[in-house]
């Protein structure tokens, strides 16, 4: 969405295809967002577009003569925060001139407000890959420690994960499930801080202005996938195991509750005097409306991008 937002601001007509984004389309005013394409409909739908841009090979659906995958480009594979990588894609690969923005166009709907519960810690203990999940008992211990410090821990999981985590309520902590990202986002906006595995929910929380502590297997992952908007910390276990394979197997045993609890406290201290979760009420306004810069026709900008970008199977120049 950082790339899409900058393209749109420079006059390019952008259409997004994503089930997740379509669920949150009211949070991205000014964008044309459609459900994800399925193979039967993809060829006819994509034929309407001059360029089709994907993040990864696995995202590609259908066939298009100018289909580009960012993960093929060295710029996209750097070990640096993903928001910074997205900006470099805009500048170096797409040739977009300044000014560029780190914002992705998200604007909370007017009915999504409400008072923050400043001591509420939202704990998201699951991930798409179980290898990326910290130990459940350590999430429980973390919640107990934070509760003793005056926080209000709440767990959030997907509806189909609820039965596996039913023990959370027996421990006295709320267990929340939302089938729709729109509903989850509305609830997250009221949180004081977020703690969870390396996952998309951490990025959503950060995008909503909620400081986030993200737990990662390895330093390279932590650096690349740390939430990139609100103040955040991506923490990893001590590097005592040699080799990537051993580190990915052992990280959940080596990352201590104490280290995560200290990260929450460090983040609280960092933001307590800022217009975010633990500080004063948010005083910012929505980002500037979409629109192309003066004297830069969309056709000219699109031509520039087309000339700069490589073909489907070539590396970035």
């Amino acid at each position: 969405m950082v790339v899409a937002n900058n393209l749109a601001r420079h006059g390019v007509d952008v259409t997004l295809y994503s089930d997740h984004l379509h669920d949150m389309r009211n949070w991205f005013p000014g964008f044309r967002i459609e459900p994800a394409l399925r193979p039967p409909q993809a060829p006819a739908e994509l034929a309407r577009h001059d360029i089709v841009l994907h993040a990864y090979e696995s995202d590609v659906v259908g066939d298009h003569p100018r289909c580009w995958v960012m993960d093929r480009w060295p710029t996209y594979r750097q070990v640096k925060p993903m928001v910074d990588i997205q900006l470099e894609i805009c500048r170096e690969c797409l040739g977009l001139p300044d000014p560029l923005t780190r914002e992705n166009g998200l604007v909370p709907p007017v009915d999504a407000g409400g008072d923050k519960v400043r001591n509420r810690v939202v704990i998201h203990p699951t991930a798409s890959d179980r290898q990326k999940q910290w130990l459940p008992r350590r999430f429980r211990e973390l919640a107990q420690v934070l509760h003793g410090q005056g926080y209000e821990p709440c767990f959030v999981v997907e509806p189909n994960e609820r039965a596996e985590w039913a023990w959370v309520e027996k421990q006295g902590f709320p267990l929340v499930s939302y089938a729709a990202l729109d509903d989850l986002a509305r609830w997250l906006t009221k949180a004081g801080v977020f703690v969870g595995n390396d996952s998309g929910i951490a990025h959503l929380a950060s995008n909503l202005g909620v400081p986030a502590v993200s737990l990662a297997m390895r330093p390279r992952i932590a650096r690349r996938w740390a939430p990139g908007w609100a103040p955040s910390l991506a923490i990893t276990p001590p590097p005592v195991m040699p080799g990537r394979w051993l580190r990915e197997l052992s990280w959940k045993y080596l990352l201590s509750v104490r280290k995560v609890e200290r990260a929450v406290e460090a983040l609280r201290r960092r933001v307590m005097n800022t217009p975010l979760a633990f500080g004063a009420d948010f005083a910012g306004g929505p980002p500037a409306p979409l629109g192309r810069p003066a004297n830069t026709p969309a056709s000219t900008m699109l031509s520039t991008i087309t000339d700069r970008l490589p073909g489907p199977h070539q590396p970035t120049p």
Side-chain angles (χ1 to χ4, degrees):
M1 284 305 298
V2 173
V3 170
N5 192 30
N6 280 290
L7 284 170
R9 286 176 180 277
H10 283 83
V12 177
D13 185 12
V14 178
T15 301
L16 295 126
Y17 296 94
S18 165
D19 290 334
H20 293 312
L21 287 173
H22 190 258
D23 195 22
M24 290 194 66
R25 59 193 180 279
N26 292 331
W27 296 72
F28 291 96
F31 287 96
R32 186 186 305 113
I33 301 176
E34 304 290 345
L37 288 172
R38 271 61 183 179
Q41 71 194 89
E45 182 68 19
L46 294 179
R48 303 190 301 107
H49 303 292
D50 298 288
I51 295 171
V52 178
L53 187 63
H54 296 286
Y56 298 101
E57 297 282 354
S58 58
D59 299 326
V60 176
V61 59
D63 188 23
H64 192 279
R66 297 194 71 83
C67 172
W68 296 312
V69 179
M70 290 188 289
D71 192 49
R72 294 173 183 160
W73 305 340
T75 301
Y76 194 76
R77 297 177 181 174
Q78 298 177 90
V79 182
K80 61 171 55 177
M82 182 51 69
V83 173
D84 293 336
I85 291 174
Q86 300 269 320
L87 286 176
E88 288 194 31
I89 289 287
C90 291
R91 184 176 292 112
E92 298 178 8
C93 300
L94 304 182
L96 298 181
D98 289 324
L100 297 174
T101 178
R102 297 176 63 84
E103 297 301 322
N104 64 1
L106 182 143
V107 180
V110 294
D111 61 347
D115 295 335
K116 282 190 176 292
V117 183
R118 301 195 185 281
N119 68 334
R120 177 179 293 168
V121 179
V122 170
I123 296 175
H124 179 235
T126 64
S128 58
D129 183 346
R130 280 190 177 270
Q131 193 161 298
K132 295 168 61 176
Q133 292 184 192
W134 199 35
L135 297 172
R137 67 174 182 271
R138 296 207 173 162
F139 276 117
R140 182 194 67 220
E141 293 168 9
L142 175 67
Q144 292 169 338
V145 169
L146 293 175
H147 182 263
Q149 295 174 348
Y151 289 94
E152 180 190 294
C154 297
F155 285 72
V156 60
V157 296
E158 292 187 19
N160 62 355
E161 299 168 333
R162 190 176 181 92
E164 183 180 352
W165 292 86
W167 58 264
V168 166
E169 292 181 307
K170 296 178 182 177
Q171 294 290 320
F173 300 114
L175 179 63
V176 176
S177 300
Y178 289 102
L181 272 180
D182 176 83
D183 294 328
L184 173 62
R186 290 169 186 271
W187 180 73
L188 275 177
T189 58
K190 300 176 178 62
V193 68
F194 174 93
V195 179
N197 302 298
D198 167 33
S199 71
I201 304 302
H203 298 283
L204 176 60
S206 177
N207 201 185
L208 295 170
V210 179
V213 176
S214 183
L215 316 182
M217 295 187 290
R218 295 183 284 114
R220 288 171 64 92
I221 294 174
R223 177 162 171 74
R224 197 164 191 258
W225 292 107
W229 290 280
S232 65
L233 292 171
I235 59 174
T236 58
V240 297
M241 287 292 183
R244 172 178 170 177
W245 182 74
L246 282 176
R247 287 197 296 270
E248 291 189 355
L249 281 178
S250 63
W251 80 273
K252 63 184 66 178
Y253 302 97
L254 297 175
L255 182 59
S256 69
V257 172
R258 176 60 174 159
K259 186 171 185 177
V260 180
E261 177 266 319
R262 290 174 68 179
V264 172
E265 176 61 14
L267 195 57
R268 185 193 71 82
R269 290 181 177 275
R270 180 177 170 187
V271 304
M272 64 187 301
N273 293 317
T274 69
L276 287 166
F278 292 103
D281 289 338
F282 178 66
L290 298 177
R292 66 179 67 109
N295 304 319
T296 309
S299 58
T300 300
M301 185 59 61
L302 184 59
S303 175
T304 301
I305 294 171
T306 303
D307 290 342
R308 283 183 61 97
L309 274 174
H313 299 291
Q314 300 171 22
T316 302

